[in-house]
Amino acid sequence: MPVAGLAMAIVSASACGTGIPSSQRSPEQAGRTAVPGVVATSSQPSPRGEGRPLGSRSLGVSSKITVRLLALDRVSAQAVVARWRVRNDLKEDYSFSASLAVPWNSANLGQNAIGGVSLLDSGNDRWYFPRGYRNGDCQCTRGWPTVKAGQEQEMVAVFPAPPPGVTRLDVLFPQAPPFLDVPLGQAPPTPLHVQDGEDPVDPDSARVGDPVTLSIVNQVEQAGAAQDDDGRVVSVRLSTDVLFAVNRADLSRAAHAALREVATQIDRSPGDEVRIDGHTDDTGTDAVNDPLSRRRAASVQAALKKLVTRSGVRFRAYGHGSRDPIADNDRAEGRRTNRRVGITFDRPPAAPAGQARATVSRSPAAVPSADATGTTLPVLGRARAGKAPGVEGAWPEQAEVRVNELTRDAGGYVNLVWTLRNDGDTPLNAWTSSHDWGGVYAEASTSAAALVDGPRRYRPLRDARHHITVGPYLLSVSRPEYLVTKGEEYTLWAMFKPPADVSTVTVQIPGFEPVEGLAIR
């Protein structure tokens, strides 16, 4: 798996009594009978945390732990500073454990800091993580924060600055739903306190390492095909189960229909080169898989040459056998994902003006609101428990999902917030049921959720390098938190990028019936 090296370390840490203590597991104590809320208070920047907060969210596990965004300020051409204040109204201390750590092994960001907080520039498909020094120390609050009962704690992080024209960003505090379209203010580069007993850090220091900026991939699925779009390059993954018969390289009838759609995109692409890569799973030997993958890539190449009408396009075909899996070959679903032909080309231009609905810019005040103590979020739709997700054994029959938010930000990203409620005796595992075990996404997050519009399924956004879902990092959350028992609730989120003209979708959450006909707001 993409973050396997980190997985064991974080699981070990988060299994050791971190997060909400077991004595806080009753709904009355933990506050899990109230859905976490959001407050959007002011559209004006709040320099260096003074004045009213820019917004307020509750943690997914408890409405009694509130995160207030105090400031988001550009302090120089290179740096942006974000400040939060977390309040704990539980009866016992709350430890974040590793849930705010960067969710991969980073050279610039050590695990002992809140390096997992981030900024999302949806207009440019870029994801910014805190800056770090070359020795691995983060320019952010260090340690795994513990907020004492009835008290507050401030946290801070310095990020690489987005391009000068960017005036709003989405702010992600992983274990709470995101703050959307937060205005980017201006402030001087004041030294920041990041660790007790240490000197303040200069947010504009030239001693930091390379900025951690990731590109975002939007995945769309349709009838045996998946398309990955990072804003620059499109890669279409066609299942060989659809394209070919077993151990054959002759294209099926269904293959020609799928390739016609790809050819239409290639005709609109500004690039002159198309790369075709054939892959197999790891069943069989290299002596069988290698030539089979080459023949299949060649068959797709021959078909596209006939279907593409634009002149000057060069096609290059390669076969890789089983050597480049993108999913886990130990699972049937993973093997099915690995049996593919990939077609990669430069991204076609966006639809001409007038063919897509314009995205409406809005201030944070447009987010559904609640009071600062985290009272109930709106319920846009709900559905009862359905078939258990594939990795689950027993699944509660008396459970429901409530969709709380379905909101498009100014750059076109759609934020989905939902709450799982369990009224049955069987525990509901919010981690294992929410993750896509096919292997394309790094574990573990809310990667199995989907927005559906007709034949198309829009999957959660992920980054192109580590395959991290734009959602909460459930891998680093302690088991008592993500195991939802009778009478408890847990709120999750994920971000998507359906086209601007998609205004109504069906929400699919693993283990529940679909929630149909929801309007994107």
Side-chain angles (χ1 to χ4, degrees), residues 299-334:
S299 292
V300 170
Q301 178 187 39
L304 286 176
K305 281 184 175 180
K306 295 178 181 178
L307 293 168
V308 172
T309 60
R310 183 164 59 91
S311 61
V313 179
R314 299 185 302 274
F315 296 87
R316 304 184 186 278
Y318 306 89
H320 304 271
S322 62
R323 286 184 294 278
D324 191 17
I326 58 173
D328 186 355
N329 275 310
D330 291 335
R331 296 175 180 271
E333 184 180 358

Side-chain angles (χ1 to χ4, degrees), residues 19-214:
I20 291 183
S22 58
S23 62
Q24 293 289 337
R25 294 295 292 165
S26 72
E28 292 77 11
Q29 290 175 313
R32 289 179 63 166
T33 55
V35 181
V38 57
V39 185
T41 54
S42 173
S43 60
Q44 299 300 315
S46 176
R48 299 183 306 283
E50 300 170 359
R52 299 179 65 193
L54 296 172
S56 179
R57 288 284 200 182
S58 296
L59 292 195
V61 70
S62 175
S63 61
K64 292 189 176 182
I65 306 172
T66 307
V67 182
R68 291 178 174 86
L69 177 62
L70 302 181
L72 182 68
D73 293 316
R74 194 188 292 268
V75 299
S76 72
Q78 292 76 38
V80 166
V81 172
R83 294 175 179 270
W84 301 264
R85 180 180 293 129
V86 180
R87 178 167 183 80
N88 176 16
D89 286 315
L90 294 171
K91 296 180 179 179
E92 296 188 21
D93 299 350
Y94 178 80
S95 171
F96 279 95
S97 182
S99 66
L100 299 180
V102 62
W104 72 88
N105 290 313
S106 171
N108 287 357
L109 299 172
Q111 291 298 313
N112 192 31
I114 65 166
V117 297
S118 58
L119 305 177
L120 203 57
D121 177 4
S122 58
N124 294 302
D125 293 314
R126 287 294 179 267
W127 198 0
Y128 299 94
F129 284 80
R131 304 203 312 174
Y133 296 103
R134 292 180 178 87
N135 65 357
D137 287 344
C138 181
Q139 278 196 315
C140 63
T141 299
R142 297 174 191 164
W144 290 352
T146 295
V147 186
K148 295 187 177 298
Q151 296 188 20
E152 298 178 340
Q153 181 172 334
E154 290 200 14
M155 304 181 195
V156 64
V158 184
F159 299 91
V166 175
T167 60
R168 291 181 182 271
L169 294 166
D170 296 339
V171 180
L172 310 187
F173 193 93
Q175 304 312 323
F179 302 88
L180 301 183
D181 291 339
V182 178
L184 187 54
Q186 297 282 344
T190 307
L192 304 172
H193 175 77
V194 298
Q195 187 173 9
D196 290 342
E198 298 288 337
D199 292 336
V201 301
D202 175 10
D204 198 30
S205 171
R207 296 188 298 109
V208 295
D210 294 334
V212 183
T213 303
L214 306 178

Side-chain angles (χ1 to χ4, degrees), residues 217 227-235 343-348:
V217 174
Q227 177 172 300
D228 295 334
D229 180 352
D230 68 359
R232 291 162 176 76
V233 173
V234 168
S235 181
I343 306 167
T344 304
F345 48 92
D346 288 349
R347 185 181 189 271

